[in-house]
Amino acid sequence: MSKKPKGQSMWGGRFSDKPSDIMQAINVSIGFDSRFAAQDIRGSQVHANMLAAQKIITKKDNASIQKGLKQIASEIEAGTFPFRDEYEDIHLNIEARLKEIIGDASGRLHTARSRNDQVATDFRLWVRDALDGFDAQFVKLQKVLLKQAEQNSDTLMPGFTHLQSAQPVTFGHHMLAYLEMFARDRARFADCRKRLNECPLGAAALAGTPYPIDRKATASGLGFERPLANSLDAVSARDFALEALSAASICATHLSRLAEEIVIWTSAQFNFVSLSDKFTTGSSIMPQKRNPDAAELVRAKVGRIVGASNALTIVMKGLPLAYSKDMQEDKEPVFDAFDALDLALAAMTGMIADLKPNKKVLAAAAGAAFSTATDLADWLVRELGMPFRDAHHVTGAIVAIAEKHGKALHELDLNDMKNIDKRITDGVYSVLSPKASVASRRSYGGTAPVNVRKQIRRWKSRLK
């Protein structure tokens, strides 16, 4: 039996010397791709079973391989597995350890596959597992948003455009807006999962294999919908990771927007909501401070996640088919981005559950800055038959009077409004309060409490 030269790697048959220290440093990936261990073992177990079923390896060798892989999985779980840089990556580390456990039968495991299709399979399995985990996190976040909406279906607050008070809305309506955003994020992740759910295993290095393998069996055994149809595409495609990072970037943007609102709302100037000690920190010099650090850190995570998406895009943009070593740089951006998103989702779920709206402050702010001016214009259109542009002008003049007297619109004397248009009656007061304004917004998707409660019932049913 031939032996590899001392100091050589498992692929070193034609090499007479070992790699330089610098080559070793740039080439080794075990420091990060050890995260694929569980996926790599699953892939190997299914591959070996298929080889035995196709009579490419013996049942005896397969039994040894399965026993050895099971022991390796136990060692990894127990933290006793000897990860070694000399074997470069997780695939060769597991194969080397398998040989130590079962001997020469281990060498038959790599029949009819390459590290190219092996890593592509592991990566897809890992991303798929991560997407499944995110789906569960989305449900948790949606449920706490739904609970806040239910508890505040008629809690008044100002709605903003340009961060200026615009029209009154309800706090429940505001929470449901984010619930809808995260529902789309969840759908994007599910769509991404569906598209990535094809199996590269069996594509080998790039051209397929002469062995009579059963790719449908390995795909099915790993829970994939089908094998990838083109061997070149199978080993070189990383668009599934790019798509996952794109969906993660959009989700992180939504998380960042909500985090920004929490930062604003918890400030002394707004005082719309409060967070407990669980999600705030103090200052090393200012004892009165309560800083919304969790929200600020969630807001910052979008930089890491979008950066990861850009990084992988740039890695892939100029690669010819099929595999290039550049693709070793595909994993760390995904790991980093998904770690960041995982933590951000958990932190946001905790904060929303912890959030306490200051209802009195919110209600007062809901009526500030003449927020019911549009309701006045709409009343002029409905009751007086006035063209909206004329109503807009009349309302602006009335707002100017209210501003001059330092009064809210519903506090103005009727005669002040009649001085602008004598047809105005006291019926106008029915729309000038924030509560009346909100109650009137009953069009589909509007902020009226009756609408909010209807949407809450719909989401309760969907999230069961």
Side-chain angles (χ1 to χ4, degrees):
M1 181 179 67
S2 63
K3 296 182 179 179
K4 65 185 180 72
K6 186 177 180 181
Q8 288 297 300
S9 69
M10 297 183 74
W11 45 257
R14 71 168 299 232
F15 291 78
S16 59
D17 199 2
K18 66 178 183 179
S20 70
D21 291 344
I22 293 174
M23 179 61 197
Q24 182 75 353
I26 198 171
N27 194 48
V28 168
S29 61
I30 188 60
F32 54 85
D33 68 16
S34 58
R35 293 179 71 156
F36 283 162
Q39 288 78 19
D40 196 74
I41 290 170
R42 279 161 58 196
S44 291
Q45 289 169 330
V46 170
H47 181 67
N49 281 332
M50 180 276 295
L51 292 176
Q54 295 298 107
K55 296 182 170 50
I56 298 170
I57 65 173
T58 66
K59 291 181 179 180
K60 181 179 178 181
D61 282 343
N62 183 37
S64 296
I65 289 168
Q66 297 296 340
K67 183 178 178 181
L69 289 171
K70 186 176 180 181
Q71 180 177 327
I72 290 170
S74 297
E75 290 176 356
I76 291 171
E77 187 175 351
T80 60
F81 183 84
F83 293 107
R84 290 172 283 193
D85 285 355
E86 65 184 283
Y87 294 123
E88 299 178 17
D89 56 33
I90 187 59
H91 323 295
L92 294 186
N93 264 267
I94 288 175
E95 188 175 334
R97 179 60 180 144
L98 186 63
K99 185 172 184 179
E100 291 172 355
I101 296 170
I102 69 170
D104 289 344
S106 67
R108 305 191 193 285
L109 173 60
H110 207 54
T111 306
R113 76 174 182 185
S114 161
R115 276 191 295 173
N116 292 357
D117 63 335
Q118 190 177 357
V119 69
T121 301
D122 291 358
F123 201 7
R124 282 180 186 258
L125 286 171
W126 190 92
V127 171
R128 191 180 71 184
D129 289 345
L131 294 180
D132 290 343
F134 286 134
D135 189 72
Q137 284 189 285
F138 280 128
V139 172
K140 290 178 182 177
L141 178 53
Q142 288 177 289
K143 284 184 175 180
V144 294
L145 286 164
L146 185 61
K147 186 174 181 180
Q148 284 284 5
E150 186 173 23
Q151 293 173 345
N152 294 280
S153 61
D154 56 359
T155 298
L156 296 176
M157 70 171 289
F160 295 94
T161 61
H162 309 278
L163 203 56
Q164 305 294 312
S165 291
Q167 294 176 328
V169 295
T170 64
F171 194 84
H173 193 57
H174 202 107
M175 292 292 99
L176 288 178
Y178 281 104
L179 193 155
E180 295 280 352
M181 289 186 205
F182 293 122
R184 292 193 296 274
D185 289 325
R186 187 182 175 199
R188 268 184 283 272
F189 275 60
D191 195 44
C192 175
R193 188 195 192 282
K194 182 178 180 180
R195 210 168 354 264
L196 74 75
N197 204 32
E198 296 181 323
C199 186
L201 198 58
L206 75 161
T209 175
Y211 294 96
I213 61 173
D214 184 349
R215 290 194 63 204
K216 289 184 178 179
T218 49
S220 176
L222 291 169
F224 287 108
E225 187 72 22
R226 64 185 67 84
L228 279 152
N230 184 287
S231 60
L232 289 167
D233 180 47
V235 299
S236 64
R238 294 297 184 271
D239 54 343
F240 68 91
L242 286 168
E243 185 176 3
L245 286 176
S246 176
S249 297
I250 296 171
C251 176
T253 302
H254 292 155
L255 287 167
S256 183
R257 294 183 72 180
L258 180 50
E260 168 71 2
E261 297 210 284
I262 292 173
V263 170
I264 293 171
W265 290 350
T266 55
S267 68
Q269 289 73 23
F270 273 73
N271 192 28
F272 282 3
V273 301
S274 63
L275 288 170
S276 75
D277 295 353
K278 294 178 181 178
F279 293 96
T280 55
T281 65
S283 165
S284 63
I285 190 173
M286 295 169 283
Q288 83 282 7
K289 294 291 292 298
R290 181 189 290 275
N291 299 322
D293 283 4
E296 291 170 1
L297 289 166
V298 168
R299 186 175 59 185
K301 294 297 182 185
V302 67
R304 298 173 73 100
I305 296 166
V306 173
S309 180
N310 289 339
L312 183 54
T313 300
I314 292 167
V315 166
M316 297 302 299
K317 73 170 182 62
L319 298 186
L321 297 180
Y323 182 83
S324 298
K325 194 68 170 184
D326 309 51
M327 291 188 198
Q328 185 165 292
E329 295 295 316
D330 60 0
K331 300 163 196 66
E332 287 185 284
V334 176
F335 293 158
D336 185 63
F338 279 26
D339 286 347
L341 184 60
D342 178 76
L343 186 56
L345 283 167
M348 184 56 73
T349 300
M351 279 188 288
I352 295 300
D354 187 67
L355 208 64
K356 295 290 188 293
N358 188 337
K359 295 187 179 184
K360 289 183 178 180
V361 173
L362 285 167
F370 314 109
S371 64
T372 58
T374 308
D375 297 275
L376 172 55
D378 288 336
W379 185 89
L380 294 172
V381 170
R382 287 195 314 271
E383 301 299 323
L384 304 185
M386 194 178 291
F388 184 81
R389 285 302 169 199
D390 293 345
H392 188 286
H393 180 78
V394 169
T395 299
I398 292 173
V399 166
I401 293 174
E403 188 172 33
K404 180 179 179 181
H405 292 308
K407 293 181 178 180
L409 288 176
H410 67 276
E411 295 172 337
L412 269 182
D413 187 89
L414 180 60
N415 289 327
D416 289 327
M417 290 186 272
K418 280 183 169 291
N419 286 336
I420 302 300
D421 191 301
K422 62 183 180 180
R423 294 173 293 171
I424 296 175
T425 69
D426 59 3
V428 73
Y429 291 106
S430 66
V431 301
L432 292 184
S433 72
K435 185 176 181 180
S437 171
V438 163
S440 72
R441 306 287 169 175
R442 299 183 66 159
S443 60
Y444 182 77
T447 190
V450 65
N451 283 10
V452 173
R453 287 188 283 270
K454 187 180 296 184
Q455 291 298 322
I456 288 167
R457 290 192 296 272
R458 178 175 73 92
W459 275 111
K460 276 187 171 183
S461 177
R462 286 184 63 178
L463 291 174
K464 277 184 179 178

